[in-house]
Amino acid sequence: EMSEFRDRMDLNTSSTTNEVVERFKADGRPRILVSPSIDTGFDFPYRQADFQIIVKVPFPVPTDPLVAARSLDDDSYHAKVAVSRLVQMTGRVMRAEDDMGETFILDDNVNFLFSRYKPYFPRWWREAYKRTGFIPPAPDVLANGADLVPEN
């Protein structure tokens, strides 16, 4: 409500997620999709999304009975689930080898997760991950608004 870009933002509720995502994808104007609930089952290939911001590493809820039970047999269960979800989330804006999208993860827990459980991350993710203390400039292709793949 306080952002100067609020007129460009699409927000969803748990019952309107699919509708809001489809409207976001169909709109030809620059938009910002703000959602706490889009982690699996959605993709935004090519120019459908140029970047995303992940505020929190998606660790499973430890009080969930299933999570608690599985954690009894596997001390690293929480980390494995978090890595799997994080990898899936980061893949939302980059869906093909010739696609480009940036992901900014603001939660410092990603550094702990990456350093302690590095083998659980796929090689492409390990190679792409860069820790910075600042927001780097956008790649030219994104900064200039040029399409990576011509529209059909």
Side-chain angles (χ1 to χ4, degrees):
E1 292 176 0
M2 301 301 289
S3 173
E4 68 180 277
F5 302 106
R6 65 186 166 276
D7 60 325
R8 293 184 182 187
M9 294 183 183
D10 295 315
L11 291 88
N12 70 295
T13 64
S14 58
S15 63
T16 64
T17 302
N18 288 334
E19 173 189 329
V20 171
V21 167
E22 289 308 312
R23 188 173 59 236
F24 171 81
K25 288 180 169 188
D27 197 322
R29 301 169 298 156
R31 306 291 300 162
I32 302 166
L33 178 59
V34 181
S35 177
S37 59
I38 298 176
D39 60 350
T40 60
F42 294 94
D43 69 338
F44 300 89
Y46 300 104
R47 295 312 304 269
Q48 288 184 359
D50 294 329
F51 71 93
Q52 67 178 328
I53 300 170
I54 298 173
V55 179
K56 188 173 180 334
V57 172
F59 285 101
V61 178
T63 56
D64 178 294
L66 183 59
V67 172
R70 289 183 175 164
S71 297
L72 291 174
D73 292 333
D74 184 353
D75 290 343
S76 60
Y77 179 75
H78 287 86
K80 290 175 181 175
V81 170
V83 167
S84 176
R85 287 180 180 169
L86 192 59
V87 167
Q88 200 287 329
M89 290 169 77
T90 58
R92 283 190 304 222
V93 297
M94 228 165 75
R95 303 305 289 178
E97 193 171 309
D98 61 344
D99 195 357
M100 178 180 276
E102 291 187 282
T103 297
F104 300 93
I105 305 169
L106 305 184
D107 187 348
D108 281 339
N109 282 313
V110 71
N111 298 318
F112 161 78
L113 193 66
F114 187 69
S115 64
R116 180 127 186 237
Y117 298 99
K118 196 176 207 173
Y120 295 141
F121 288 91
R123 183 171 27 154
W124 67 264
W125 206 98
R126 293 190 310 259
E127 291 171 355
Y129 177 74
K130 294 189 179 32
R131 182 179 178 187
T132 65
F134 62 93
I135 298 175
D140 289 341
V141 70
L142 294 179
N144 296 332
D147 284 330
L148 293 172
V149 176
E151 294 200 22
N152 296 329

